Amino acid sequence: MLPFPVINKTNIILPRKIKKIQASTDGAFVLFESGNLYAFGFNYLQQFGSGTTSGATYKNWTLVHSNVTDVYTGVDSVIIKLADGSWQYAGNTKTSGTSNSDTAVGNWTTLPGMQYFTNNGLTIKEIQVGGTNIGVLCTNDTLYQMGYNVPGVFGTGSSTNSTTFVVSRTNVDRFSFGHLSALCTDKGTGQLYKAGWNNNSQLGAPNTTTSFPTWTSVGVAPIGVFTGRYTTSYITSSGLLYSTGLKQYGAITGGTGNNDTSVVSSYTQLSSGIPAGALVNNTNFYHTKSWMTYFRTGQGIYVAGRNDNGQLSVGNQNAITTYTALTLPSGVLESQVEDIHFNSYLSLILKNDGISLYVAGNSNYFPQYTGIQSTYVKLDLPE
């Protein structure tokens, strides 16, 4: 991550404080340059780790670990890398491949499978945590997975869980994980492939086909890909957006709102609200753990989906069913947004100064404010 120091009015350079932000479906995590990891939100399955109460709401900044160098969140699990090179996780036991039930591991617990890469001299390029599976793409263009695999999200033809990493697919350029569904593109051909859960037609087929246990071609070579909780989308080279999956909360446009449980059962052009041509240069692979989609276009960040807590910063509505430009914090340009994350209760924006952190949504789940904050407000930092 590139540093962007801030010069204040007295020409004193202010160092970055925040290294990284992340969000699970219910919790928010902020990693500071000091190595301290803080969390706030709903602690489902004790994803905040040792000494916290499973199922409790933590409104205030809560220090959940120290000596942390990296953090990644899934739907209800969190994995962290420590300064000594070891890895730990908290949250759903399925993530470690040791369980088929949604139970809390209880404390920060060693995740020995992550040592596979060090032991084999592999360099990690990207890590994602999906529903309860972990994916690692290495510089050898191989995608590895471990964890819960009952829907066949590994794409190997097996539905067996694994406590160690297995080769999921070779010659991978990019990948994106939803809730136990996955997309990736082939490095040579650019072709899009899908694997895993299709219970809500999120992989572009009628949900009578409940899963794709082997990597299956979608038949397109997209320039961008998005996976949500139960949706997937891709962008063509001409900038057209195609989506499939569950319409609930307006997570893909074309739905009627929170209670619309119908599905789009094949990839369909659904881009209402996004300016024509705005996605032509979008080569990003996005993923969220909740019921919303968003795209950075260079002409604005466009969002759709769950907004019952005002977390999409476009008014306190039940759902945004047409892509709408996100109202950024006052004085912040799209080019200054270093990272953005959404969950069921809030959204977080980190400005590229590494100091300015903004939040919108239900303040029962974040510090400092009261009520629904349907426009972004700035958080005071704990250190």
Side-chain angles (χ1 to χ4, degrees):
M1 181 179 295
L2 293 174
F4 291 88
V6 175
I7 301 177
N8 68 9
K9 292 181 180 180
T10 58
N11 293 320
I12 297 174
I13 296 178
L14 303 177
R16 292 181 63 96
K17 290 186 177 181
I18 297 173
K19 185 175 183 178
K20 188 175 185 180
I21 62 172
Q22 290 279 281
S24 63
T25 297
D26 300 301
F29 297 82
V30 182
L31 175 60
F32 283 77
E33 295 285 356
S34 65
N36 288 333
L37 178 65
Y38 289 82
F40 46 83
F42 183 62
N43 190 25
Y44 182 63
L45 291 181
Q46 203 176 339
Q47 60 192 266
F48 294 176
S50 306
T52 64
T53 302
S54 183
T57 297
Y58 286 77
K59 174 178 171 60
N60 296 317
W61 290 98
T62 303
L63 179 63
V64 296
H65 214 301
S66 57
N67 297 317
V68 178
T69 61
D70 215 342
V71 57
Y72 301 87
T73 56
V75 169
D76 46 31
S77 301
V78 184
I79 68 171
I80 58 174
K81 185 179 183 181
L82 300 179
D84 63 4
S86 64
W87 293 80
Q88 295 180 355
Y89 86 105
N92 200 324
T93 53
K94 286 181 178 179
T95 307
S96 65
T98 58
S99 173
N100 281 326
S101 59
D102 293 313
T103 55
V105 67
N107 295 303
W108 289 108
T109 301
T110 299
L111 195 62
M114 290 297 295
Q115 297 303 320
Y116 173 89
F117 305 99
T118 300
N119 295 342
N120 288 278
L122 297 170
T123 301
I124 293 174
K125 181 179 178 182
E126 184 178 0
I127 298 173
Q128 289 184 30
V129 185
T132 40
N133 58 311
I134 303 171
V136 177
L137 179 62
C138 289
T139 54
N140 64 357
D141 303 326
T142 299
L143 176 63
Y144 303 85
Q145 290 197 55
M146 68 165 285
Y148 184 71
N149 186 42
V150 170
V153 69
F154 291 5
T156 59
S158 168
S159 59
T160 302
N161 300 337
S162 181
T163 59
T164 58
F165 279 93
V166 299
V167 173
S168 173
R169 186 175 177 85
T170 59
N171 207 37
V172 172
D173 182 34
R174 306 286 296 278
F175 76 105
S176 185
F177 280 175
H179 184 47
L180 296 173
S181 56
L183 297 176
C184 75
T185 51
D186 184 88
K187 186 158 188 174
T189 65
Q191 289 291 307
L192 180 64
Y193 289 84
K194 61 186 179 183
W197 215 1
N198 187 58
N199 62 322
N200 285 292
S201 295
Q202 60 265 51
L203 292 181
N207 55 14
T208 50
T209 302
T210 56
S211 69
F212 288 85
T214 58
W215 288 105
T216 302
S217 176
V218 178
V220 295
I223 61 169
V225 166
F226 180 92
T227 55
R229 190 175 179 94
Y230 299 118
T231 63
T232 63
S233 303
Y234 67 80
I235 302 167
T236 68
S237 58
S238 58
L240 299 178
L241 175 65
Y242 288 80
S243 300
T244 185
L246 185 65
K247 294 181 183 178
Q248 192 170 16
Y249 296 106
I252 52 176
T253 61
T256 58
N258 288 6
N259 299 316
D260 187 348
T261 57
S262 63
V263 300
V264 177
S265 60
S266 62
Y267 284 104
T268 302
Q269 188 180 340
L270 295 170
S271 55
S272 176
I274 299 178
L279 296 174
V280 170
N281 296 317
N282 190 315
T283 57
N284 293 290
F285 277 39
Y286 298 112
H287 43 276
T288 66
K289 315 305 186 299
S290 265
W291 293 265
M292 57 274 291
T293 52
Y294 75 102
F295 296 97
R296 299 184 69 158
T297 69
Q299 302 177 39
I301 299 174
Y302 284 82
V303 294
R306 185 172 182 175
N307 190 47
D308 51 340
N309 288 295
Q311 60 266 54
L312 295 186
S313 189
V314 284
N316 183 22
Q317 305 172 40
N318 286 334
I320 305 301
T321 56
T322 298
Y323 285 109
T324 304
L326 190 70
T327 302
L328 294 175
S330 178
V332 177
L333 304 175
E334 180 184 356
S335 61
Q336 295 174 310
V337 175
E338 181 171 307
D339 205 359
I340 182 169
H341 287 270
F342 302 87
N343 70 19
S344 298
Y345 307 108
L346 57 83
S347 63
L348 283 177
I349 286 180
L350 176 63
K351 190 178 176 182
N352 61 5
D353 60 8
I355 297 174
S356 303
L357 182 65
Y358 301 89
V359 63
N362 188 334
S363 65
N364 288 334
Y365 300 93
F366 59 82
Q368 195 174 330
Y369 297 90
T370 58
I372 297 294
Q373 299 293 325
S374 58
T375 58
Y376 282 102
V377 291
K378 190 174 182 179
L379 289 177
D380 295 333
L381 304 182
E383 58 178 66

